[in-house]
Coordinates of all heavy atoms in Angstrom, one line a residue:
A151 N 5.1 4.8 -7.3 CA 4.0 4.2 -6.5 C 2.7 5.0 -6.7 O 1.6 4.4 -6.8 CB 4.4 4.3 -5.0
L152 N 2.7 6.3 -6.8 CA 1.5 7.1 -7.0 C 0.8 6.8 -8.3 O -0.4 6.8 -8.4 CB 1.8 8.6 -6.9 CG 1.9 9.2 -5.5 CD1 2.2 10.7 -5.6 CD2 0.6 9.0 -4.7
A153 N 1.7 6.6 -9.4 CA 1.1 6.4 -10.7 C 0.2 5.2 -10.8 O -0.8 5.1 -11.6 CB 2.2 6.2 -11.7
S154 N 0.4 4.2 -9.9 CA -0.4 3.0 -9.8 C -1.8 3.3 -9.3 O -2.7 2.5 -9.5 CB 0.2 1.9 -9.0 OG 1.5 1.6 -9.6
F155 N -2.0 4.5 -8.7 CA -3.4 4.8 -8.2 C -4.2 5.4 -9.3 O -5.4 5.6 -9.1 CB -3.3 5.9 -7.1 CG -2.8 5.3 -5.7 CD1 -1.5 5.0 -5.5 CD2 -3.7 5.1 -4.7 CE1 -1.1 4.5 -4.3 CE2 -3.4 4.6 -3.5 CZ -2.0 4.3 -3.3
S156 N -3.7 5.7 -10.5 CA -4.4 6.3 -11.5 C -5.5 5.4 -12.1 O -5.3 4.3 -12.4 CB -3.4 6.7 -12.7 OG -4.1 7.4 -13.7
I157 N -6.7 6.0 -12.2 CA -7.8 5.2 -12.8 C -8.4 6.0 -14.0 O -9.4 5.6 -14.5 CB -8.9 5.0 -11.8 CG1 -9.4 6.3 -11.2 CG2 -8.4 4.1 -10.7 CD1 -10.6 6.2 -10.2
R158 N -7.7 7.0 -14.5 CA -8.2 7.8 -15.6 C -7.0 7.9 -16.6 O -5.9 8.3 -16.3 CB -8.6 9.2 -15.2 CG -9.0 10.1 -16.3 CD -9.7 11.4 -15.8 NE -8.9 12.2 -14.9 CZ -7.9 13.0 -15.3 NH1 -7.6 13.1 -16.6 NH2 -7.2 13.7 -14.4
G159 N -7.3 7.4 -17.9 CA -6.2 7.4 -18.9 C -6.3 8.5 -19.8 O -5.3 8.7 -20.6
T160 N -7.3 9.3 -19.9 CA -7.4 10.4 -20.9 C -7.1 11.7 -20.2 O -7.8 12.1 -19.2 CB -8.8 10.5 -21.5 OG1 -9.1 9.2 -22.1 CG2 -8.9 11.6 -22.5
P161 N -6.1 12.5 -20.7 CA -5.8 13.7 -20.1 C -6.8 14.8 -20.5 O -7.4 14.8 -21.5 CB -4.4 14.1 -20.7 CG -4.4 13.3 -22.0 CD -5.2 12.1 -21.8
T162 N -7.0 15.8 -19.6 CA -7.8 17.0 -19.8 C -6.9 17.9 -20.7 O -5.7 17.7 -20.9 CB -8.1 17.7 -18.6 OG1 -6.9 18.2 -17.9 CG2 -8.9 16.7 -17.6
A163 N -7.6 18.9 -21.3 CA -6.9 19.9 -22.1 C -5.8 20.6 -21.3 O -4.7 20.9 -21.8 CB -7.9 20.9 -22.6
E164 N -6.1 20.9 -20.0 CA -5.1 21.5 -19.1 C -3.9 20.6 -18.9 O -2.7 21.0 -18.9 CB -5.7 21.9 -17.8 CG -4.7 22.6 -16.9 CD -5.3 22.9 -15.5 OE1 -6.5 22.7 -15.3 OE2 -4.5 23.4 -14.7
E165 N -4.2 19.3 -18.7 CA -3.1 18.3 -18.5 C -2.3 18.2 -19.8 O -1.0 18.0 -19.7 CB -3.7 17.0 -18.1 CG -4.2 17.0 -16.7 CD -5.0 15.8 -16.3 OE1 -5.4 15.0 -17.2 OE2 -5.1 15.5 -15.1
E166 N -2.9 18.2 -21.0 CA -2.1 18.2 -22.2 C -1.2 19.4 -22.3 O 0.0 19.3 -22.7 CB -3.1 18.2 -23.4 CG -3.7 16.9 -23.7 CD -2.8 15.8 -24.3 OE1 -1.5 16.1 -24.4 OE2 -3.2 14.7 -24.6
D167 N -1.7 20.6 -21.9 CA -0.8 21.8 -21.9 C 0.3 21.6 -20.9 O 1.5 22.0 -21.2 CB -1.6 23.0 -21.6 CG -2.6 23.4 -22.7 OD1 -2.4 22.9 -23.8 OD2 -3.5 24.1 -22.4
L168 N 0.0 21.1 -19.8 CA 1.1 20.9 -18.7 C 2.1 19.9 -19.2 O 3.3 20.2 -19.1 CB 0.4 20.4 -17.4 CG 1.4 20.1 -16.3 CD1 2.2 21.3 -15.9 CD2 0.5 19.6 -15.1
M169 N 1.7 18.8 -19.8 CA 2.7 17.8 -20.3 C 3.5 18.4 -21.5 O 4.7 18.1 -21.5 CB 2.0 16.5 -20.8 CG 1.5 15.7 -19.6 SD 0.9 14.1 -20.1 CE -0.6 14.5 -20.9
A170 N 2.9 19.2 -22.3 CA 3.7 19.9 -23.4 C 4.7 20.8 -22.8 O 5.9 20.8 -23.3 CB 2.7 20.6 -24.3
F171 N 4.4 21.5 -21.8 CA 5.4 22.4 -21.1 C 6.5 21.6 -20.5 O 7.7 21.9 -20.6 CB 4.7 23.2 -20.1 CG 5.6 24.1 -19.2 CD1 6.2 25.2 -19.8 CD2 6.0 23.7 -18.0 CE1 7.1 26.0 -19.0 CE2 6.9 24.4 -17.2 CZ 7.4 25.6 -17.7
L172 N 6.1 20.5 -19.8 CA 7.1 19.7 -19.1 C 8.1 18.9 -20.1 O 9.2 18.6 -19.7 CB 6.4 18.7 -18.2 CG 5.7 19.4 -17.0 CD1 4.8 18.3 -16.3 CD2 6.6 20.0 -16.0
L173 N 7.6 18.5 -21.2 CA 8.3 17.6 -22.1 C 8.9 18.3 -23.3 O 9.7 17.7 -24.0 CB 7.4 16.5 -22.6 CG 6.8 15.6 -21.5 CD1 5.9 14.5 -22.1 CD2 7.9 14.9 -20.7
S174 N 8.6 19.5 -23.6 CA 9.0 20.1 -24.9 C 10.3 20.9 -24.7 O 11.1 21.0 -25.7 CB 7.9 21.1 -25.4 OG 7.7 22.2 -24.5
S175 N 10.7 21.4 -23.6 CA 11.9 22.1 -23.4 C 13.1 21.2 -23.5 O 13.0 20.0 -23.2 CB 11.9 22.9 -22.1 OG 11.9 22.0 -21.0
E176 N 14.3 21.8 -23.9 CA 15.5 20.9 -24.0 C 15.9 20.4 -22.6 O 16.3 19.3 -22.5 CB 16.6 21.7 -24.6 CG 17.9 20.9 -24.8 CD 19.0 21.8 -25.5 OE1 18.7 22.9 -25.8 OE2 20.1 21.2 -25.6
H177 N 15.8 21.2 -21.6 CA 16.1 20.9 -20.3 C 14.9 21.1 -19.3 O 14.0 21.8 -19.6 CB 17.3 21.7 -19.8 CG 18.5 21.6 -20.6 ND1 19.3 20.4 -20.6 CD2 19.1 22.4 -21.5 CE1 20.3 20.6 -21.4 NE2 20.2 21.8 -22.0
V178 N 15.0 20.4 -18.2 CA 14.0 20.6 -17.1 C 14.3 22.0 -16.6 O 15.4 22.3 -16.1 CB 14.1 19.6 -16.0 CG1 13.1 20.0 -14.9 CG2 13.8 18.2 -16.5
R179 N 13.3 22.9 -16.8 CA 13.6 24.3 -16.5 C 13.7 24.6 -15.1 O 13.0 24.1 -14.2 CB 12.4 25.1 -17.1 CG 12.1 24.9 -18.6 CD 10.8 25.5 -19.0 NE 10.9 27.0 -18.9 CZ 10.9 27.8 -20.0 NH1 10.7 27.3 -21.2 NH2 11.0 29.1 -19.8
L180 N 14.7 25.5 -14.8 CA 14.9 25.9 -13.4 C 13.8 26.8 -12.9 O 13.6 26.9 -11.7 CB 16.3 26.6 -13.3 CG 17.5 25.7 -13.5 CD1 18.8 26.5 -13.3 CD2 17.5 24.5 -12.6
D181 N 13.1 27.5 -13.9 CA 12.0 28.3 -13.4 C 10.6 27.5 -13.5 O 9.6 28.1 -13.6 CB 11.9 29.6 -14.3 CG 11.6 29.2 -15.8 OD1 11.7 28.1 -16.2 OD2 11.3 30.2 -16.6
L182 N 10.7 26.2 -13.5 CA 9.6 25.3 -13.7 C 8.4 25.7 -12.8 O 7.3 26.0 -13.3 CB 10.0 23.9 -13.5 CG 8.9 22.8 -13.4 CD1 8.4 22.6 -14.8 CD2 9.4 21.5 -12.8
Y183 N 8.6 25.8 -11.5 CA 7.5 26.0 -10.6 C 7.0 27.4 -10.6 O 5.8 27.6 -10.4 CB 7.9 25.5 -9.2 CG 8.3 24.0 -9.2 CD1 9.6 23.6 -8.8 CD2 7.4 23.0 -9.6 CE1 9.9 22.3 -8.9 CE2 7.8 21.7 -9.6 CZ 9.0 21.3 -9.3 OH 9.4 20.0 -9.3
D184 N 7.9 28.4 -10.9 CA 7.4 29.7 -11.0 C 6.4 29.9 -12.2 O 5.5 30.7 -12.1 CB 8.6 30.7 -11.2 CG 9.4 30.9 -10.0 OD1 8.9 30.6 -8.9 OD2 10.6 31.3 -10.1
R185 N 6.6 29.1 -13.2 CA 5.8 29.2 -14.4 C 4.5 28.4 -14.2 O 3.6 28.5 -15.0 CB 6.5 28.6 -15.6 CG 7.8 29.4 -16.0 CD 7.5 30.7 -16.8 NE 6.8 30.3 -18.0 CZ 7.4 30.0 -19.1 NH1 8.8 30.0 -19.1 NH2 6.8 29.7 -20.2
L186 N 4.4 27.6 -13.1 CA 3.2 26.7 -13.0 C 2.4 27.0 -11.7 O 1.6 26.2 -11.3 CB 3.7 25.3 -12.9 CG 4.4 24.7 -14.2 CD1 4.9 23.3 -13.9 CD2 3.4 24.7 -15.3
E187 N 2.5 28.2 -11.2 CA 1.7 28.6 -10.0 C 0.2 28.5 -10.2 O -0.5 28.3 -9.3 CB 2.1 29.9 -9.5 CG 3.5 30.0 -8.8 CD 3.8 31.3 -8.2 OE1 2.9 32.1 -8.1 OE2 5.0 31.5 -7.8
S188 N -0.2 28.7 -11.5 CA -1.6 28.6 -11.8 C -2.1 27.2 -12.1 O -3.3 27.0 -12.3 CB -1.9 29.5 -13.0 OG -1.2 29.1 -14.1

């Protein structure tokens, strides 16, 4: 439902890094949120 609110299609450099982190590991990491506090 939230994705339908999106009006911007181009990711920022920070968003590219975040997606790379979220999508590159073999598994969804259990330390995911500890690594993303910033």
Side-chain angles (χ1 to χ4, degrees):
L152 279 181
S154 297
F155 284 79
S156 180
I157 58 174
R158 176 169 58 81
T160 303
T162 65
E164 181 184 357
E165 288 171 340
E166 283 287 4
D167 290 342
L168 176 57
M169 288 190 288
F171 174 77
L172 294 170
L173 299 178
S174 62
S175 61
E176 183 180 358
H177 299 286
V178 176
R179 303 172 65 116
L180 295 182
D181 63 349
L182 172 73
Y183 301 118
D184 289 341
R185 298 279 298 274
L186 294 175
E187 288 186 9
S188 62

